[in-house]
């Protein structure tokens, strides 16, 4: 009887151990599957993220085309010659006496322009027709006095995009600077 009880106990222990090893093997397999599943999920998330970024780029380009179609687009840029006779402080742009753009420059921004930089000051839309642009530059002359330099420019807007550059140029003949306005031809 004791031998029978011992045999039953050993059988129960062997079954328990085998069940635990099967259970352990299953849990290990489940853990591997979960790891593989999470790495697949991470890859899918990365793919979705890159697709969202690409879609965002395409939507931005489409929005730009819709908001600023080439047939009505006008862009105004500012550049500065060496800046010996005029230290630029601010610029104001009007089209048909309506304020469209203005900018107040820091020392670093002024230096960047004096070193050959060009700033996009305004991007907008105009209907086909005739317009008058007024540019007013405020700054300090070589004697330290606050001065304004202004220029007016008549232009016709047709069904092509239009780019205008406002140049602040030093004139060595009279030791003053002047505003020169020119259209870019592409």
């Amino acid at each position: 009887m004791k031998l029978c009880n011992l045999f039953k106990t050993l059988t129960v222990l062997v079954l328990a151990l085998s069940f635990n090893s099967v259970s352990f093997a299953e849990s290990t397999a489940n853990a591997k599957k979960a790891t593989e599943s999470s790495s697949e999920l991470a890859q899918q998330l990365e793919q979705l993220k890159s697709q969202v970024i690409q879609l965002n780029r395409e939507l931005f380009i489409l929005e730009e085309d819709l908001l600023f179609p080439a047939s009505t687009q006008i862009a105004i840029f500012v550049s500065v010659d060496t800046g010996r006779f005029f230290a630029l402080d601010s610029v104001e742009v009007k089209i048909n006496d309506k304020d469209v753009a203005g900018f107040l420059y820091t020392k670093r921004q002024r230096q960047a322009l004096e070193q050959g930089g060009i700033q996009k000051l305004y991007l907008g839309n105009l209907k086909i027709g005739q317009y008058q642009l007024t540019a007013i530059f405020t700054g300090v002359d070589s004697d330290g006095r606050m001065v304004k330099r202004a220029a007016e420019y008549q232009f016709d807007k047709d069904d092509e995009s239009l780019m205008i550059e406002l140049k602040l140029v030093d004139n060595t003949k009279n030791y003053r600077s002047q505003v020169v306005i020119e259209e870019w031809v592409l």
Side-chain angles (χ1 to χ4, degrees), residues 5-181:
N5 283 340
L6 183 61
F7 182 71
K8 285 182 186 178
T9 306
L10 282 174
T11 306
V12 169
L13 283 174
V14 169
L15 286 174
L17 285 174
S18 65
F19 180 74
N20 283 339
S21 65
V22 169
S23 175
F24 178 74
E26 286 177 1
S27 65
T28 305
N30 287 341
K32 285 182 183 179
K33 286 180 184 177
T35 304
E36 290 172 2
S37 175
S38 66
S39 67
E40 288 176 15
L41 185 62
Q43 285 179 334
Q44 289 175 350
L45 284 174
E46 279 300 315
Q47 288 174 346
L48 280 174
K49 185 178 175 183
S50 65
Q51 289 173 351
V52 166
I53 290 171
Q54 180 63 31
L55 183 62
N56 192 25
R57 274 189 213 121
E58 291 171 4
L59 285 174
F60 177 75
I61 292 168
L62 181 63
E63 180 183 30
E64 286 290 314
D65 288 344
L66 289 173
L67 291 176
F68 303 108
S71 63
T72 64
Q73 189 177 58
I74 180 171
I76 300 175
F77 300 88
V78 174
S79 68
V80 175
D81 197 12
T82 57
R84 292 184 308 185
F85 305 129
F86 188 86
L88 180 62
D89 185 47
S90 66
V91 65
E92 179 183 347
V93 176
K94 298 179 181 189
I95 296 179
N96 289 349
D97 292 325
K98 180 183 173 193
D99 289 333
V100 293
F103 198 83
L104 184 62
Y105 294 92
T106 65
K107 184 177 179 180
R108 284 182 74 190
Q109 291 166 332
R110 182 174 44 251
Q111 288 172 343
L113 287 173
E114 291 169 358
Q115 292 174 359
I118 296 177
Q119 174 200 13
K120 184 184 346 180
L121 182 65
Y122 175 71
L123 178 64
N125 296 324
L126 289 178
K127 295 178 184 175
I128 294 174
Q130 193 171 37
Y131 295 92
Q132 178 176 339
L133 180 135
T134 306
I136 304 167
F137 289 82
T138 305
V140 179
D141 68 3
S142 57
D143 296 328
R145 296 180 297 227
M146 287 296 290
V147 292
K148 288 187 177 186
R149 298 280 182 257
E152 289 186 347
Y153 182 70
Q154 296 279 339
F155 65 93
D156 290 321
K157 176 69 178 94
D158 56 14
D159 62 347
E160 297 286 323
S161 62
L162 178 65
M163 292 183 228
I164 298 175
E165 181 179 3
L166 309 174
K167 294 182 182 180
L168 191 59
V169 180
D170 287 338
N171 186 341
T172 55
K173 292 179 183 176
N174 62 6
Y175 300 104
R176 297 179 68 183
S177 55
Q178 61 191 30
V179 178
V180 177
I181 301 175

